[in-house]
Every structure is written in structure tokens, then in C-alpha cells.
Amino acid sequence: MSNRSLHTEFFRLLKNHRADNVFNPWTDRNARDDLATNGPEARCRRLEAHLSIQPTHLLIGEASGYQGCRVSGIPFTSERLIAEGAIPRLDTHRGRLSTRHIPWSEPSATIVWSTLHCLGIADSTILWNAFPWHPHSAAESHSNRTPTPAERAQGLPVLQALLSAFPRARLFAVGRQAERALLEMGRQASALRHPSMGGASQFRQALKAALKP
């Protein structure tokens, strides 16, 4: 990131969060299916690599998912995409991340990264979430749920630290939760349909249209 103090504050806020029915990928170990070589330290290193540019675009999503960021440490990014070498700035030679019989693959992650590559902005884009941690149901950690308004508010200081580090990047809100969070901060962003639940074509078309001169 551009400023060391912002970098330090960003990770401090990110790591310090604790809440019921919320998994923190950068502090918590996923004993259920993390390999010995994966865990919070590894996920922090991956996130640092992801943030190691001056981006032209920032895509802000809603929350981390159990098939993606919970395992990988990077929003909209799955274990399978990392293994395939589809994620810029990441070392793909460290092997698998989980003990699952096949690599975790998140549909939204696949759609987002394929679109970024197709539009030629994968190398200049940073991905984040308004609620950066993984909210799940009380009964099942391998589940996703929508953050509550109170939870979304808890993610705003982390989001502000990120935005402050990259003031020149253009903002995109992926989904209504992200759009609300940015509006609560007084920030304007290009609104994109979330690619989940049948929104892939609308997401691709909206991002392509927004990038036209």
C-alpha cells in the first residue's frame, strides 16, 4: 500500500475483529480444512501481495464467502483460481490451501476474475468487501449470510483505511450491501449487479459499459 502507517492501521483493524458467527481469515485458523501450510499468516501474505500496487480500480463487494476468501485470504478469490495461476501477484507454487478432495471454487470469484482478465484490468484492480470477514450461520461454518447493518458498520473503518491508501482509484460497488456501505461513508461508486444468483451477465455488461471512455 502507498503509506506504511495506513498499511499498519489497515491490518490492525482487520485482525482485531472478533464476533460470534464470524470467521476472521487473517486471524483465525480453519481447523476443519486448512492445510498446515495455510492459515492466517499465509492469508495475510497473500492479501499483502494483492494490495501491493497502485490500482486504477477498486471493486468493493459485500462480505467474504466460505468458498473463497475464508480459504484464500483475498476477496472474490478461490483456491482453484490461485492454483490455476489466474490471480496476479500471487505465488502459485505453494500447492493446495485446503484438505478438501477438490480445490474450493467460488462461482462469483470465477466470474469476477474472468471479467477482469477479459477487460484487461486484472493487473490494475484491487478487490475488497464492505464487511471483510466471513459471516456464517450459527449451525454451519460452511455457509454464507448477509451481514446485518450493525456488522456492516463494523467494516467501515477497515474500508476507509483502504480507500485512503488509494485515493485515485475508481470505485465500483458490487451489490447493494457494498453500495450502501459506500454511501454511508459519503463515497460515490459505479454500481454493479452482484454476479451471484444469476447476475453474471449483468455484472459483465455493467463493468464493460462503465469502463468505456
Side-chain angles (χ1 to χ4, degrees), residues 89-113:
R89 302 180 295 283
L90 291 196
D91 181 1
T92 61
H93 302 297
R94 295 183 181 273
R96 288 286 308 279
L97 309 179
S98 79
T99 58
R100 191 169 184 258
H101 66 289
I102 58 174
W104 284 104
S105 181
E106 183 180 68
S108 292
T110 301
I111 295 163
V112 167
W113 278 109

Short mmCIF file of all heavy atoms in Angstrom, two decimals, residues 89-113:
data_model
loop_
_atom_site.label_atom_id
_atom_site.label_comp_id
_atom_site.label_asym_id
_atom_site.label_seq_id
_atom_site.Cartn_x
_atom_site.Cartn_y
_atom_site.Cartn_z
N ARG A 89 0.04 -11.37 -9.07
CA ARG A 89 0.89 -11.04 -7.92
C ARG A 89 0.99 -12.14 -6.88
O ARG A 89 1.59 -11.95 -5.82
CB ARG A 89 0.44 -9.72 -7.25
CG ARG A 89 0.45 -8.54 -8.20
CD ARG A 89 0.00 -7.25 -7.53
NE ARG A 89 -1.38 -7.23 -7.09
CZ ARG A 89 -2.44 -7.06 -7.89
NH1 ARG A 89 -2.26 -6.91 -9.20
NH2 ARG A 89 -3.67 -7.04 -7.41
N LEU A 90 0.39 -13.29 -7.13
CA LEU A 90 0.45 -14.38 -6.15
C LEU A 90 1.39 -15.49 -6.60
O LEU A 90 1.43 -15.84 -7.77
CB LEU A 90 -0.94 -14.98 -5.92
CG LEU A 90 -1.98 -14.13 -5.20
CD1 LEU A 90 -3.13 -15.01 -4.74
CD2 LEU A 90 -1.40 -13.36 -4.03
N ASP A 91 2.12 -16.05 -5.65
CA ASP A 91 2.97 -17.20 -5.89
C ASP A 91 2.09 -18.45 -5.98
O ASP A 91 1.40 -18.80 -5.03
CB ASP A 91 3.97 -17.34 -4.76
CG ASP A 91 4.92 -18.51 -4.93
OD1 ASP A 91 4.82 -19.22 -5.95
OD2 ASP A 91 5.77 -18.71 -4.03
N THR A 92 2.11 -19.11 -7.12
CA THR A 92 1.26 -20.28 -7.32
C THR A 92 1.99 -21.60 -7.05
O THR A 92 1.45 -22.67 -7.33
CB THR A 92 0.72 -20.31 -8.76
OG1 THR A 92 1.83 -20.39 -9.68
CG2 THR A 92 -0.09 -19.06 -9.06
N HIS A 93 3.18 -21.53 -6.49
CA HIS A 93 4.00 -22.74 -6.34
C HIS A 93 3.94 -23.33 -4.92
O HIS A 93 4.70 -24.22 -4.60
CB HIS A 93 5.45 -22.45 -6.71
CG HIS A 93 5.62 -21.93 -8.11
ND1 HIS A 93 5.29 -22.68 -9.22
CD2 HIS A 93 6.03 -20.73 -8.56
CE1 HIS A 93 5.52 -21.97 -10.31
NE2 HIS A 93 5.96 -20.78 -9.95
N ARG A 94 3.06 -22.85 -4.10
CA ARG A 94 2.99 -23.34 -2.72
C ARG A 94 1.98 -24.47 -2.56
O ARG A 94 1.77 -24.96 -1.46
CB ARG A 94 2.67 -22.18 -1.77
CG ARG A 94 3.77 -21.14 -1.73
CD ARG A 94 3.45 -20.05 -0.71
NE ARG A 94 4.49 -19.03 -0.70
CZ ARG A 94 5.59 -19.09 0.03
NH1 ARG A 94 5.80 -20.13 0.82
NH2 ARG A 94 6.48 -18.13 -0.01
N GLY A 95 1.33 -24.87 -3.63
CA GLY A 95 0.44 -26.01 -3.57
C GLY A 95 -0.95 -25.67 -3.07
O GLY A 95 -1.37 -24.52 -3.04
N ARG A 96 -1.67 -26.70 -2.67
CA ARG A 96 -3.05 -26.58 -2.22
C ARG A 96 -3.17 -25.77 -0.93
O ARG A 96 -2.22 -25.65 -0.16
CB ARG A 96 -3.64 -27.96 -2.02
CG ARG A 96 -3.93 -28.76 -3.30
CD ARG A 96 -5.16 -28.24 -4.01
NE ARG A 96 -6.31 -28.13 -3.12
CZ ARG A 96 -7.10 -29.17 -2.78
NH1 ARG A 96 -6.87 -30.37 -3.27
NH2 ARG A 96 -8.13 -28.98 -1.97
N LEU A 97 -4.37 -25.26 -0.68
CA LEU A 97 -4.66 -24.49 0.52
C LEU A 97 -5.52 -25.26 1.51
O LEU A 97 -5.51 -24.94 2.71
CB LEU A 97 -5.39 -23.18 0.15
CG LEU A 97 -4.74 -22.32 -0.93
CD1 LEU A 97 -5.58 -21.08 -1.18
CD2 LEU A 97 -3.32 -21.94 -0.54
N SER A 98 -6.28 -26.24 1.04
CA SER A 98 -7.22 -26.95 1.91
C SER A 98 -7.07 -28.46 1.75
O SER A 98 -6.46 -28.95 0.80
CB SER A 98 -8.66 -26.53 1.59
OG SER A 98 -9.13 -27.19 0.43
N THR A 99 -7.70 -29.17 2.68
CA THR A 99 -7.69 -30.63 2.63
C THR A 99 -8.88 -31.18 1.85
O THR A 99 -9.04 -32.39 1.73
CB THR A 99 -7.75 -31.21 4.05
OG1 THR A 99 -8.93 -30.73 4.72
CG2 THR A 99 -6.53 -30.79 4.86
N ARG A 100 -9.72 -30.32 1.32
CA ARG A 100 -10.89 -30.76 0.56
C ARG A 100 -10.44 -31.60 -0.64
O ARG A 100 -9.39 -31.35 -1.23
CB ARG A 100 -11.67 -29.53 0.08
CG ARG A 100 -13.05 -29.84 -0.51
CD ARG A 100 -13.81 -28.52 -0.69
NE ARG A 100 -15.16 -28.74 -1.17
CZ ARG A 100 -15.56 -28.57 -2.42
NH1 ARG A 100 -14.70 -28.18 -3.35
NH2 ARG A 100 -16.82 -28.79 -2.75
N HIS A 101 -11.24 -32.61 -1.00
CA HIS A 101 -10.80 -33.54 -2.05
C HIS A 101 -10.60 -32.85 -3.39
O HIS A 101 -9.80 -33.31 -4.21
CB HIS A 101 -11.78 -34.71 -2.18
CG HIS A 101 -13.14 -34.33 -2.67
ND1 HIS A 101 -14.04 -33.62 -1.89
CD2 HIS A 101 -13.75 -34.54 -3.85
CE1 HIS A 101 -15.15 -33.42 -2.57
NE2 HIS A 101 -15.01 -33.97 -3.76
N ILE A 102 -11.31 -31.76 -3.66
CA ILE A 102 -11.03 -30.92 -4.83
C ILE A 102 -10.92 -29.49 -4.34
O ILE A 102 -11.50 -29.13 -3.31
CB ILE A 102 -12.13 -31.03 -5.91
CG1 ILE A 102 -13.50 -30.65 -5.34
CG2 ILE A 102 -12.14 -32.40 -6.53
CD1 ILE A 102 -14.59 -30.59 -6.39
N PRO A 103 -10.15 -28.63 -5.02
CA PRO A 103 -9.98 -27.26 -4.55
C PRO A 103 -11.32 -26.52 -4.44
O PRO A 103 -12.22 -26.72 -5.26
CB PRO A 103 -9.08 -26.62 -5.62
CG PRO A 103 -8.38 -27.76 -6.27
CD PRO A 103 -9.35 -28.90 -6.24
N TRP A 104 -11.43 -25.66 -3.42
CA TRP A 104 -12.61 -24.82 -3.30
C TRP A 104 -12.72 -23.92 -4.53
O TRP A 104 -11.73 -23.33 -4.98
CB TRP A 104 -12.54 -23.96 -2.05
CG TRP A 104 -12.81 -24.69 -0.78
CD1 TRP A 104 -11.89 -25.09 0.15
CD2 TRP A 104 -14.10 -25.09 -0.29
NE1 TRP A 104 -12.52 -25.74 1.19
CE2 TRP A 104 -13.87 -25.75 0.95
CE3 TRP A 104 -15.40 -24.98 -0.77
CZ2 TRP A 104 -14.91 -26.28 1.70
CZ3 TRP A 104 -16.45 -25.50 -0.01
CH2 TRP A 104 -16.19 -26.14 1.20
N SER A 105 -13.94 -23.80 -5.06
CA SER A 105 -14.18 -22.95 -6.22
C SER A 105 -15.45 -22.14 -5.96
O SER A 105 -16.51 -22.71 -5.68
CB SER A 105 -14.35 -23.81 -7.48
OG SER A 105 -14.55 -22.99 -8.61
N GLU A 106 -15.34 -20.83 -6.03
CA GLU A 106 -16.46 -19.95 -5.77
C GLU A 106 -16.98 -19.37 -7.09
O GLU A 106 -16.22 -18.72 -7.81
CB GLU A 106 -16.03 -18.82 -4.83
CG GLU A 106 -17.14 -17.88 -4.43
CD GLU A 106 -16.63 -16.79 -3.51
OE1 GLU A 106 -15.85 -15.94 -3.99
OE2 GLU A 106 -16.99 -16.78 -2.33
N PRO A 107 -18.24 -19.56 -7.44
CA PRO A 107 -18.76 -19.07 -8.72
C PRO A 107 -18.55 -17.57 -8.92
O PRO A 107 -18.13 -17.14 -10.01
CB PRO A 107 -20.26 -19.42 -8.64
CG PRO A 107 -20.31 -20.62 -7.75
CD PRO A 107 -19.26 -20.38 -6.71
N SER A 108 -18.82 -16.77 -7.91
CA SER A 108 -18.65 -15.32 -8.06
C SER A 108 -17.19 -14.96 -8.34
O SER A 108 -16.91 -14.06 -9.14
CB SER A 108 -19.14 -14.59 -6.81
OG SER A 108 -20.54 -14.70 -6.67
N ALA A 109 -16.27 -15.65 -7.68
CA ALA A 109 -14.85 -15.38 -7.90
C ALA A 109 -14.47 -15.67 -9.35
O ALA A 109 -13.75 -14.89 -9.98
CB ALA A 109 -14.01 -16.23 -6.95
N THR A 110 -14.95 -16.79 -9.86
CA THR A 110 -14.64 -17.16 -11.25
C THR A 110 -15.17 -16.11 -12.22
O THR A 110 -14.47 -15.71 -13.17
CB THR A 110 -15.25 -18.53 -11.57
OG1 THR A 110 -14.73 -19.51 -10.66
CG2 THR A 110 -14.94 -18.95 -13.00
N ILE A 111 -16.37 -15.64 -11.99
CA ILE A 111 -16.97 -14.63 -12.87
C ILE A 111 -16.21 -13.31 -12.80
O ILE A 111 -15.89 -12.70 -13.82
CB ILE A 111 -18.45 -14.42 -12.49
CG1 ILE A 111 -19.25 -15.69 -12.77
CG2 ILE A 111 -19.05 -13.23 -13.27
CD1 ILE A 111 -20.60 -15.72 -12.06
N VAL A 112 -15.89 -12.87 -11.58
CA VAL A 112 -15.21 -11.59 -11.42
C VAL A 112 -13.84 -11.59 -12.08
O VAL A 112 -13.51 -10.71 -12.88
CB VAL A 112 -15.10 -11.23 -9.92
CG1 VAL A 112 -14.13 -10.06 -9.72
CG2 VAL A 112 -16.46 -10.86 -9.36
N TRP A 113 -13.02 -12.61 -11.77
CA TRP A 113 -11.67 -12.61 -12.33
C TRP A 113 -11.67 -12.84 -13.84
O TRP A 113 -10.85 -12.25 -14.55
CB TRP A 113 -10.80 -13.65 -11.61
CG TRP A 113 -10.25 -13.12 -10.32
CD1 TRP A 113 -10.61 -13.49 -9.06
CD2 TRP A 113 -9.25 -12.11 -10.16
NE1 TRP A 113 -9.91 -12.78 -8.13
CE2 TRP A 113 -9.06 -11.93 -8.77
CE3 TRP A 113 -8.50 -11.35 -11.06
CZ2 TRP A 113 -8.14 -11.01 -8.26
CZ3 TRP A 113 -7.58 -10.43 -10.54
CH2 TRP A 113 -7.42 -10.28 -9.16
#
